[in-house]
Amino acid sequence: MRRYSAFAVAREAARFHSGWERAWGNPEPKRHYEVIVIGGGGHGLATAYYLAKNHGITNVAVLEKGWLGGGNTGRNTTIIRSNYLQDASASIYELSRGLYEDLSQQLNFNIMFSPRGVMMLCQTEHEFRAMQRTAHANRLAGIKTEMVTPHKVKEICPILNIDGPRYPVLGGLWQPRGGTARHDAVAWGYARAASALGVDIIQKCEVTAIDRYGPGGRVSGVQTSKGAITCDKLCIVVAGHSGVLAEMAGFRLPIESMPLQALVSEPIKPCMDIVVMANTVHGYMSQSDKGEMVIGGGTDGYNAYTQRGSFQHIEETVRALCETFPIISRLKMLRQWGGIVDMTGDRSPIIGKTPVEGIFINCGWGTGGFKAIPGSGWCTAATVAKGTPDEVAGPFGIDRFRAGRMIDESVAAAVAH
Amino acid sequence: MLILTCPCCGAECAETELAPGGEAHLKRFGPGSGDDEFTGYLFERKNPKGVHFERWRHAFGCGKWFHAARCTVTLEVFGTYTAQVSEPPQDILDAIRARRPGWEG
């Protein structure tokens, strides 16, 4: 891999940009790999990268049925934060946020991490108390967040209307080192760095079946649209389609797949330099570098794989945001889309072993997976390499449902997040 | 927008009038059952990409529960039927097979 640098730009400018090489390889699949990762989104690519980087396992293939980062990695609103209530969540999301800090340097790929600050609004008395509790928990966990007054909220984000009749702002939970990053770049950066370490990234390769050594036996490989491939270990990282892959492998997951929507406005001049999250009304907004207001909404209430979502959900979101941000009331919306999110009952992810020997899974990130990509890849790789979950991934095992050891972030936030 | 016909009052309801109730025909395991059965009943879901049987409630109408058979990929509705059954009736299965010839229940 040739490094990207200011010098490289100058060198290529001098020779009409004839020397840029492919960012990542495009190999045909081999017959056998030590580890196969199904899913070429952020989490899958990060898992493959850390398998190679941290554990020296380079005989790895990432199988992607479409194109890299074409699922939820390319469909989210790119918010990065770690202000979670539960200890287990705080440690994995803070690990992740910390890795984002210098990820551009580590990957030699500009992922445009912008720690512009994340403000979670308190718009009901209950939410205010819950956020105070979260702020205390964050302090104990060593995560820098603070409760701020409505006056301070207004100072940090002047376009906010803090005394609306229906959704007044009673305070805010402010994480100054939260922010955003370029979502495609995260997938591409991991793909390029993993490819340079010897990982095979195989796109347009759909897994159609999972093979096992006899019924009840361990995993032996996968059938794909590019033929059969055998492996020692298999890691399923497919978000919304986790249920489909689990069915192929012969087990069920505590997961339901639902559409989650986002939309962007026409580009306008810079007016908001932070991320604002209004959880009560399911409205999440930031301004992209192009000037578009990027808005995320809530999930649909029923199972679907449509990548569209129902209109009334964005209507609800936009209606509430118009009160909180009167400035956006006349903006035209340019695009709307949906992604299929994998929701668990406790709104926390599942990382670890599955009932089938040799198969590992990373799923259940629901509506908030983007922020977790580096940390998730980091500890999923450790789990796959060692065969047992590491300290951070441990609490997120699938056995927590059976044991009643839920990591209940749905109660902590009162909404999915 | 998803539109279902309530089999109790006959109204054609938009989804804003309805409350989704999750996967239908779960077999309930209670006291005396094993851990695996209880975990399965409480948490594990089929979550199919395709034909799905669901419970719905006509929340902003007659208030009654009912069942629906629906495709989670196309949002096609195969039919709705009474809540007082523990498996889909034959006419619903026929309607599904007519539209999805390869479907295995």
Side-chain angles (χ1 to χ4, degrees):
Chain A
M1 177 179 86
R2 235 186 229 156
R3 286 184 64 79
Y4 292 154
S5 63
F7 172 73
V9 173
R11 183 189 66 215
E12 291 306 324
R15 56 179 184 183
F16 303 102
H17 296 283
S18 57
W20 296 115
E21 55 186 22
R22 289 189 73 102
W24 54 84
N26 187 28
E28 282 302 305
K30 291 189 275 186
R31 299 283 297 280
H32 177 85
Y33 289 94
E34 189 175 340
V35 179
I36 289 179
V37 177
I38 306 177
H43 290 264
L45 292 164
T47 300
Y49 170 70
Y50 291 118
L51 272 172
K53 178 89 189 308
N54 294 355
H55 305 281
I57 301 172
T58 56
N59 189 12
V60 177
V62 178
L63 307 183
E64 166 56 49
K65 80 170 172 184
W67 63 93
L68 297 186
N72 295 347
T73 303
R75 291 163 187 271
N76 62 82
T77 53
T78 77
I79 299 171
I80 296 166
R81 61 186 179 87
S82 60
N83 51 355
Y84 279 73
L85 176 70
Q86 309 290 349
D87 290 345
S89 316
S91 64
I92 195 165
Y93 288 108
E94 179 61 11
L95 166 69
S96 194
R97 199 205 55 76
L99 288 167
Y100 264 122
E101 292 265 1
D102 68 341
L103 195 59
S104 293
Q105 288 75 27
Q106 293 293 334
L107 300 179
N108 182 233
F109 198 100
N110 188 3
I111 61 146
M112 297 164 72
F113 177 57
S114 160
R116 57 183 69 182
V118 172
M119 179 75 76
M120 288 181 114
L121 301 179
C122 311
Q123 294 184 295
T124 66
E125 191 60 41
H126 300 92
E127 199 176 18
F128 183 71
R129 284 186 215 165
M131 291 287 175
Q132 279 184 311
R133 187 179 169 207
T134 303
H136 294 315
N138 288 165
R139 190 172 306 139
L140 289 174
I143 296 168
K144 279 186 81 174
T145 62
E146 59 173 317
M147 285 300 287
V148 292
T149 60
H151 177 73
K152 179 84 174 167
V153 171
K154 181 82 180 167
E155 197 181 299
I156 294 172
C157 185
I159 65 167
L160 257 167
N161 176 19
I162 59 170
D163 36 41
R166 192 156 170 210
Y167 306 113
V169 175
L170 307 175
L173 179 63
W174 172 237
Q175 182 171 26
R177 291 303 286 179
T180 62
R182 171 91 201 275
H183 47 9
D184 298 320
V186 173
W188 297 337
Y190 273 120
R192 176 166 169 270
S195 180
L197 292 172
V199 172
D200 279 2
I201 291 164
I202 300 155
Q203 300 181 70
K204 294 187 211 158
C205 178
E206 182 173 0
V207 172
T208 51
I210 293 174
D211 298 331
R212 296 167 65 172
Y213 291 110
R218 66 171 285 131
V219 67
S220 64
V222 292
Q223 301 289 331
T224 74
S225 51
K226 295 192 175 186
I229 310 173
T230 57
C231 65
D232 301 333
K233 291 174 180 175
L234 183 67
C235 188
I236 300 173
V237 197
V238 295
H241 281 68
S242 296
V244 178
L245 270 292
E247 169 103 29
M248 286 180 200
F251 59 93
R252 279 193 186 183
L253 291 167
I255 278 187
E256 300 203 72
S257 299
M258 292 161 186
L260 172 68
Q261 297 176 77
L263 61 165
V264 294
S265 74
E266 57 190 328
I268 54 174
K269 288 192 173 175
C271 64
M272 188 169 101
D273 60 359
I274 63 164
V275 179
V276 173
M277 306 187 66
N279 294 317
T280 300
V281 298
H282 282 302
Y284 313 102
M285 193 163 85
S286 63
Q287 189 168 21
S288 76
D289 295 343
K290 284 185 284 183
E292 300 156 329
M293 304 310 288
V294 182
I295 298 172
T299 54
D300 281 13
Y302 52 86
N303 298 32
Y305 286 80
T306 55
Q307 295 191 326
R308 272 200 311 271
S310 298
F311 183 71
Q312 83 266 15
H313 288 287
I314 49 173
E315 195 183 15
E316 266 169 35
T317 297
V318 169
R319 193 166 55 207
L321 285 180
C322 280
E323 184 189 309
T324 308
F325 300 94
I327 187 178
I328 68 164
S329 65
R330 303 224 174 149
L331 276 185
K332 294 181 184 72
M333 291 298 153
L334 287 191
R335 299 190 299 282
Q336 171 272 345
W337 64 91
I340 303 305
V341 295
D342 40 344
M343 307 291 281
T344 56
D346 61 359
R347 303 296 185 252
S348 286
I350 297 170
I351 303 172
K353 294 198 259 194
T354 67
V356 180
E357 209 190 329
I359 300 185
F360 298 83
I361 198 159
N362 172 341
C363 64
W365 292 96
T367 62
F370 176 74
K371 67 174 89 69
I373 285 174
S376 151
W378 184 282
C379 48
T380 305
T383 305
V384 173
K386 295 177 192 143
T388 51
D390 72 350
E391 203 177 299
V392 179
F396 294 99
I398 198 169
D399 55 331
R400 73 172 187 269
F401 294 95
R402 184 191 171 106
R405 216 172 9 81
M406 262 59 90
I407 303 167
D408 205 341
E409 288 296 344
S410 65
V411 168
V415 297
H417 65 147
Chain B
M1 180 169 279
L2 189 65
I3 296 172
L4 299 177
T5 305
C6 174
C8 305
C9 66
E12 275 197 4
C13 336
E15 60 178 283
T16 45
E17 212 173 307
L18 301 164
E23 186 175 327
H25 309 310
L26 294 174
K27 185 169 178 337
R28 184 169 184 164
F29 289 93
S33 59
D35 277 1
D36 282 340
E37 290 166 330
F38 193 52
T39 308
Y41 160 63
L42 272 184
F43 301 111
E44 287 164 13
R45 293 292 176 265
K46 195 161 180 224
N47 194 20
K49 187 176 182 179
V51 177
H52 192 30
F53 299 100
E54 292 173 327
R55 304 194 314 149
W56 286 83
R57 194 167 82 87
H58 193 183
F60 299 100
C62 70
K64 298 280 202 299
W65 283 95
F66 63 93
H67 283 133
R70 200 171 59 82
C71 176
T72 59
V73 180
T74 61
L75 301 191
E76 179 178 358
V77 178
F78 302 110
T80 55
Y81 52 99
T82 172
Q84 327 306 330
V85 291
S86 55
E87 56 187 42
Q90 194 57 43
D91 60 320
I92 295 288
L93 295 176
D94 291 343
I96 295 169
R97 293 213 173 88
R99 299 285 300 160
R100 298 281 185 280
W103 179 69
E104 297 161 7

